[in-house]
Amino acid sequence: MPSHVTYDTIIRGARWFDGTGGPSAVRDLGLRGGRVAAVSAEPLDATGCPEVVPAQGLWVLPGLIDIHTHYDIEVLAGPSLSESLRHGVTCVFVGSCSLSTVHVGAVDAGDLFSRVEAIPRHHVIDHVERGKTWHDASSYVEALEQLALGPNLAAFLGHSDVRTAVMGLDRATRPEVRATPAERGRMQQLLTDALDAGFLGMSAQQLLFDKLDGEVCRSRTLPSTYAAGAEMRGLRRILRRRGRALQAGPDATHPHTIVLEALRSIGLPGRAALKTSLLSAADIKAIPFVIHLMRGLAAVVNRLGADFRWQHLPVPFEVYADGIDLVIFEELGAGAAALHLSEKVARDELMRDPAYRAAFRKEYETKYTPRVWHRDFFDAEIVACPDESVIGRSFGQVGVERGGQHPVDAFLDLVVEHGTDLRWRTTVSGHRPQVLRRLAAERGVQMGFSDAGAHLRNMAFYNFGLRLLKHVRDAEQEGTPFLTPEQAVHRLTGELADWYDIDAGHLRVGDRADLFLLDPTRLDARVEEYAEEPCEQYGDLSRMVNRNDECVPLVMVGGRAVWRDGAPAGPLGRERTGQFLRAGQGPVPPVPASTPSAAPAPAVRAG
């Protein structure tokens, strides 16, 4: 018998976090067969080991989990998903906000995804047409695992997807139409089939400013918003029985829907608690007191037997816009009217109309209603414009400088004149650091809601996990800690994996070797800097991204290096390293080396 154990990789001398929230310590990690084979306080014998990674001064963490993305389209043409992977994210959830591509065809997918998630419609249609080989949830999983996946994936079944497939998009978005008993039964069967295939649960939506694209049903709200009580009760009953999760988006303009969703999570004698993940706990600038009500609601219903969580983005929610193309305008009738028009000429004509402007001003000045946008054009900085004289100013300031013009008129004038060449930014929520700290420590809050893969020109939170760790480290150094690093890592990894019941998020002996190295000294201002990069999958559209590769020198999925020193490594983009993580089905073997994968569909080029 040999006197030593041979490892595939040894990570030498890193500060090791296991994802449980327990104490960290300097350890050697030995990886073998895609899993952690040893965690040792003594140096591991490297005899016969093909790679030893010196990691003194670095942290080694379980791969981060992003519980809210819209990678459903991008994964079909660019399955490496490197914009998340490079930041240590080794598992992403798709199928959020009632949207998935499991059952709908390409054109319906285009109508469902493109306006809501700000992804060009023709690319959505093309990628689904090219990529779709599946016909149900089980074959969808098989199709994903034929791609050269970079990270692991898990999925919700989208309620709007199912409703559209069963009822047709037109009937599914008519307020006078209710699903028939046969249609409700068919939806329940499709959900059951998805849970059998290992889906996390179902996502639903009630938010009324999520609108459809296309021509036939343009500007109607998502199909999920039209579901009656009987339809939802049947679907929730299945989720309760199976112990799976409901990801829900309540209608923020009707606060009682938030309370109802929380109450429905409560378990009763003979009725299990419904795992509910609600969008979202945000310190909204427009209504700052509401966050305290949200925190209290979670605490109360969980004491009453619920299994309720808020999703929360633990960084300031800063958004950018090109002209009027930003989803927050959907909550205004005037904004939605402009976004309804896809042709610039018609849109410009509308925005010049005095009656339209008067309506816009009236809504803008109505401050005391439930809303997301703060409706303050003095809090909206112009960052790019052909007219360089306005750069660095707010629309409100521009109006003042133009003789006291109303901020709405200043905004609309610049949009009409410059269209999407006018770029500006504002922070919608998460603007108070102390409130962010309190939320990050709340038991009723889950770290998530990055929207990775969507809103390509509007936001970039691919590295939200690193930004939380920076916040934690800064507070620790200031002597005002709100989480220990171990607790923060647990919140981003093991806590999420355990709640959703997937094989991820931990880094103990026997666990998957999904991990990354972090240089804590590089958790500085660079993680918050603005960056753009052409996105090949969407015709080289310049999208907002995050760039802080010095923080993350190595990422591994299933024990295989996929990102190293700021560049793709080893098999990334050529072979499959990630896999579909099935909820409730326990540990699964990592993908072995040299597993063949289908090549992704070629990206569509503009023009």
Side-chain angles (χ1 to χ4, degrees):
M1 295 288 293
S3 59
H4 66 272
V5 178
T6 300
Y7 302 102
D8 301 327
T9 303
I10 291 174
I11 297 176
R12 184 79 81 194
R15 180 179 173 185
W16 161 69
F17 295 75
D18 67 2
T20 69
S24 59
V26 174
R27 294 288 186 266
D28 276 14
L29 269 64
L31 315 180
R32 186 172 60 247
R35 291 195 174 268
V36 180
V39 178
S40 175
E42 301 299 324
L44 292 174
D45 184 352
T47 304
C49 180
E51 180 172 32
V52 178
V53 179
Q56 291 80 3
L58 304 179
W59 296 359
V60 59
L61 290 75
L64 305 179
I65 301 172
D66 190 340
I67 63 172
H68 188 116
T69 84
H70 291 284
Y71 275 134
D72 309 69
I73 307 303
E74 186 173 339
V75 71
L76 302 177
S80 67
L81 302 180
S82 59
E83 287 304 337
S84 289
L85 196 68
R86 69 194 302 152
H87 302 296
V89 176
T90 60
C91 180
V92 300
F93 292 3
V94 297
S96 301
C97 296
S98 84
L99 304 174
S100 59
T101 62
V102 178
H103 295 291
V104 293
V107 174
D108 284 344
D111 290 354
L112 290 171
F113 274 88
S114 57
R115 182 165 165 183
V116 172
E117 305 305 338
I119 304 171
R121 181 172 180 267
H122 63 287
H123 288 304
V124 176
I125 294 171
D126 188 82
H127 291 333
V128 175
E129 279 182 344
R130 289 170 181 255
K132 186 161 186 174
T133 59
W134 59 89
H135 59 275
D136 58 12
S138 179
S139 57
Y140 175 75
V141 173
E142 293 173 1
L144 288 179
E145 292 197 326
Q146 292 299 309
L147 301 174
L149 296 177
N152 302 300
L153 268 68
F156 294 100
L157 181 66
H159 182 216
S160 287
D161 174 14
V162 171
R163 202 166 202 269
T164 299
V166 171
M167 299 177 65
L169 187 59
D170 181 48
R171 288 188 68 248
T173 54
R174 288 188 176 275
E176 72 276 12
V177 175
R178 293 288 180 266
T180 66
E183 288 169 336
R184 296 200 303 268
R186 180 59 179 154
M187 291 184 219
Q188 292 171 20
Q189 184 59 57
L190 294 179
L191 176 58
T192 299
D193 292 346
L195 301 182
D196 289 344
F199 278 55
L200 301 162
M202 186 186 80
S203 66
Q205 187 64 285
Q206 291 179 299
L207 190 61
L208 297 181
F209 63 72
D210 281 353
K211 304 289 181 62
L212 295 176
D213 208 335
E215 299 301 327
V216 176
C217 303
R218 186 174 183 82
S219 295
R220 299 182 193 176
T221 57
L222 290 178
S224 184
T225 65
Y226 295 87
E231 180 179 328
M232 291 305 300
R233 282 193 296 273
L235 297 169
R236 284 195 296 265
R237 191 178 305 118
I238 294 169
L239 294 171
R240 287 182 195 278
R241 186 171 66 245
R242 298 288 293 269
R244 300 269 66 87
L246 173 67
Q247 182 208 80
D251 178 10
T253 64
H254 294 84
H256 71 279
T257 66
I258 299 174
V259 176
L260 289 175
E261 289 290 357
L263 293 174
R264 290 178 183 123
S265 177
I266 297 172
L268 299 171
R271 187 183 84 165
L274 174 62
K275 282 187 174 182
T276 303
S277 177
L278 206 63
L279 310 179
S280 66
D283 181 21
I284 301 171
K285 189 180 289 187
I287 39 177
F289 66 87
V290 76
I291 191 59
H292 306 296
L293 302 180
M294 291 178 175
R295 294 168 61 204
L297 179 63
V300 168
V301 297
N302 285 330
R303 280 198 297 270
L304 294 174
D307 196 353
F308 178 86
R309 302 292 185 274
W310 290 105
Q311 290 188 25
H312 169 60
L313 182 69
V315 302
F317 195 76
E318 184 180 50
V319 295
Y320 284 68
D322 297 318
I324 201 171
D325 290 334
L326 187 63
V327 70
I328 61 173
F329 287 114
E330 299 277 17
E331 72 179 11
L332 298 177
L339 294 172
H340 175 75
L341 302 172
S342 57
E343 296 296 330
K344 184 180 186 305
V345 172
R347 191 181 284 187
D348 288 351
E349 183 179 354
L350 176 69
M351 289 189 287
R352 290 190 185 99
D353 181 8
Y356 172 80
R357 290 188 171 215
F360 200 136
R361 289 193 298 268
K362 182 178 180 179
E363 287 186 288
Y364 172 87
E365 291 166 356
T366 304
K367 306 292 186 181
Y368 303 105
T369 57
R371 63 198 185 280
V372 174
W373 178 36
H374 47 68
R375 302 183 193 178
D376 182 2
F377 274 132
F378 282 91
D379 186 7
E381 181 191 3
I382 300 166
V383 297
C385 184
D387 179 359
E388 295 184 0
S389 70
V390 302
I391 295 175
R393 289 171 167 77
S394 71
F395 295 107
Q397 289 172 316
V398 171
V400 170
E401 293 169 4
R402 292 183 174 182
Q405 187 181 32
H406 193 284
V408 166
D409 291 303
F411 170 71
L412 293 174
D413 281 350
L414 287 169
V415 172
V416 170
E417 184 175 358
H418 302 293
T420 55
D421 290 334
L422 172 71
R423 189 155 174 79
W424 56 280
R425 68 182 176 189
T426 190
T427 298
V428 175
S429 65
H431 55 295
R432 296 185 290 184
Q434 293 305 319
V435 176
L436 279 179
R437 291 181 178 190
R438 287 197 292 271
L439 282 172
E442 287 280 343
R443 290 188 62 188
V445 160
Q446 290 182 337
M447 299 300 110
F449 198 52
S450 80
D451 261 2
H455 303 287
L456 307 173
R457 295 283 299 156
N458 304 133
M459 60 187 73
F461 303 117
Y462 299 93
N463 69 346
F464 74 92
L466 301 182
R467 293 182 66 177
L468 175 62
L469 294 174
K470 176 187 183 296
H471 203 183
V472 167
R473 190 167 184 269
D474 288 349
E476 187 178 56
Q477 292 177 341
E478 294 163 3
T480 57
F482 61 98
L483 287 174
T484 67
E486 291 86 353
Q487 289 170 331
V489 170
H490 174 60
R491 304 229 68 190
L492 293 163
T493 59
E495 178 183 302
L496 301 172
D498 292 344
W499 198 79
Y500 289 100
D501 198 9
I502 56 172
D503 182 23
H506 297 96
L507 202 57
R508 307 158 299 192
V509 172
D511 287 327
R512 299 175 61 88
D514 301 331
L515 58 86
F516 71 106
L517 293 181
L518 173 68
D519 184 346
T521 68
R522 302 300 183 98
L523 289 172
D524 53 32
R526 282 170 289 189
V527 304
E528 300 167 353
E529 290 178 352
Y530 183 96
E532 290 190 23
E533 191 79 17
C535 180
E536 184 180 10
Q537 289 75 37
Y538 297 124
D540 285 341
L541 172 72
S542 185
R543 71 165 156 183
M544 291 179 61
V545 294
N546 306 113
R547 287 292 178 269
N548 44 257
D549 291 322
E550 302 89 349
C551 279
V552 182
L554 178 68
V555 182
M556 304 184 81
V557 176
R560 304 168 72 187
V562 292
W563 195 266
R564 194 191 301 268
D565 297 327
L572 187 65
R574 298 183 294 103
E575 298 177 15
R576 179 165 68 95
T577 53
Q579 60 197 107
F580 191 91
L581 298 183
R582 294 159 175 82
Q585 298 187 19
V588 292
V591 180
S594 301
T595 296
S597 298
V604 180
R605 298 281 178 173

